């Protein structure tokens, strides 16, 4: 059974800092890995999707990597802004219809 | 930009009552999902739905739960007899493809069972 873990649970950084959020998973046979953003009381906004055959994806200031052999994914945020403050969730997709297993999230606060 | 819409945004119900949560997936998507998030816990998979039938379900999705696509646009989750522990945020999601498809989530329906 897939288990997804995100460390740290919370992170506070000053504005402008580059940062890395970590995600680890136990079953390397994932089909894809997706990163989401969740604002308080809101839904999940898809940020990046990495297929199992890919190593990374980029969108604007965000870059996500996937290393299946080590069971790790990272989300790199460049030049962080206060508007980036949110909870970031990673989720691994299984091989039977895209059932996602979620990590517990990293709550990010970017201070002005 | 196309989005998944969910209604109601918040529902309060008495224990034992039936609840129906509604979702309108993105129009050209073929795969539909329900997830839930109990306050302070991880987002959990409930069920996936394709071609008018359930393709996968979790242990949480017991006989008290059912899903339906009653017409060409709506996708519903019914909880037959709500329990206190059903209180959670319920998220609908859709994707155009299966295994390799990106999931798009709605804003959620908060269910409070008293």
């Amino acid at each position: 059974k897939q288990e997804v873990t995100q460390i740290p649970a919370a992170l506070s950084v000053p504005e402008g800092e580059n940062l890395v959020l970590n995600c680890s998973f136990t079953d390397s046979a994932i089909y894809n890995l997706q990163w989401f953003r969740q604002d308080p009381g809101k839904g999940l906004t898809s940020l990046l999707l990495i297929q199992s055959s890919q190593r990374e994806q980029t969108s604007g200031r965000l870059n996500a990597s996937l290393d299946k052999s080590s069971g790790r994914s990272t989300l790199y945020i460049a030049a962080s802004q206060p508007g980036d403050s949110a909870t970031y969730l990673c989720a691994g997709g299984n091989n039977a219809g895209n059932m996602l297993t979620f990590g517990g999230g990293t709550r990010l606060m970017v201070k002005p | 930009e196309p989005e998944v819409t969910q209604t109601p945004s918040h529902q309060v119900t008495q224990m034992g009552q039936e609840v129906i949560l509604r979702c309108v997936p993105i129009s050209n998507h073929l795969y539909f999902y329900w997830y839930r998030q109990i306050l302070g816990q991880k987002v959990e998979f409930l069920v996936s739905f394709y071609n008018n039938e359930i393709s996968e379900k979790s242990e949480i999705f017991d006989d008290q739960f059912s899903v339906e696509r009653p017409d060409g646009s709506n996708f519903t989750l019914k909880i037959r007899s709500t329990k206190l522990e059903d209180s959670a945020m319920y998220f609908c999601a859709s994707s155009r493809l299966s295994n390799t498809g990106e999931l798009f989530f709605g804003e959620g329906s908060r269910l409070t069972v008293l």
Side-chain angles (χ1 to χ4, degrees):
Chain A
K1 181 185 172 188
Q2 180 76 270
E3 298 283 342
V4 179
T5 304
Q6 292 184 250
I7 294 173
L11 181 64
S12 180
V13 300
E15 181 178 5
E17 194 161 295
N18 301 325
L19 59 103
V20 175
L21 305 181
N22 296 297
C23 171
S24 61
F25 46 91
T26 55
D27 185 355
S28 61
I30 60 170
Y31 265 45
N32 56 39
L33 191 130
Q34 199 165 349
W35 282 92
F36 296 90
R37 169 185 173 136
Q38 185 176 33
D39 291 285
K42 298 291 188 180
L44 308 177
T45 300
S46 177
L47 297 173
L48 289 164
L49 169 70
I50 312 176
Q51 305 297 348
S52 61
S53 58
Q54 299 172 323
R55 299 206 68 135
E56 65 179 307
Q57 283 286 334
T58 298
S59 175
R61 294 183 293 110
L62 305 179
N63 175 277
S65 69
L66 175 64
D67 184 343
K68 288 179 62 178
S69 62
S70 67
R72 289 183 173 183
S73 176
T74 61
L75 179 67
Y76 174 82
I77 302 177
S80 58
Q81 302 169 358
D84 295 331
S85 298
T87 296
Y88 290 81
L89 302 170
C90 69
N94 77 345
N95 61 349
N98 220 0
M99 182 191 90
L100 294 180
T101 301
F102 280 81
T106 295
R107 190 170 65 253
L108 173 66
M109 176 170 292
V110 181
K111 296 181 286 188
Chain B
E1 186 172 324
E3 59 181 19
V4 176
T5 58
Q6 291 186 241
T7 55
S9 57
H10 189 192
Q11 180 153 358
V12 181
T13 190
Q14 295 291 325
M15 191 169 55
Q17 294 296 304
E18 176 183 284
V19 161
I20 297 177
L21 305 178
R22 292 182 168 80
C23 169
V24 179
I26 294 173
S27 62
N28 64 345
H29 285 190
L30 302 176
Y31 299 84
F32 314 116
Y33 313 84
W34 284 100
Y35 286 77
R36 79 172 186 189
Q37 186 177 32
I38 295 171
L39 188 63
Q41 297 187 22
K42 292 183 178 183
V43 176
E44 303 172 288
F45 169 79
L46 293 178
V47 65
S48 59
F49 191 86
Y50 168 71
N51 200 25
N52 279 321
E53 60 183 31
I54 291 173
S55 48
E56 193 170 8
K57 61 182 181 180
S58 71
E59 294 170 352
I60 303 167
F61 195 88
D62 61 22
D63 292 344
Q64 291 299 312
F65 292 89
S66 62
V67 289
E68 192 178 32
R69 188 155 162 82
D71 53 44
S73 58
N74 289 285
F75 179 52
T76 62
L77 174 69
K78 182 193 290 187
I79 308 175
R80 219 176 314 278
S81 177
T82 50
K83 302 189 278 276
L84 295 176
E85 54 265 37
D86 293 328
S87 294
M89 182 76 97
Y90 287 81
F91 293 108
C92 174
S94 68
S95 65
R96 192 170 61 85
L97 302 173
S98 179
N99 299 8
T100 57
E102 185 175 7
L103 264 67
F104 294 87
F105 282 75
E107 289 285 293
S109 293
R110 180 173 299 284
L111 176 64
T112 302
V113 182
L114 303 176

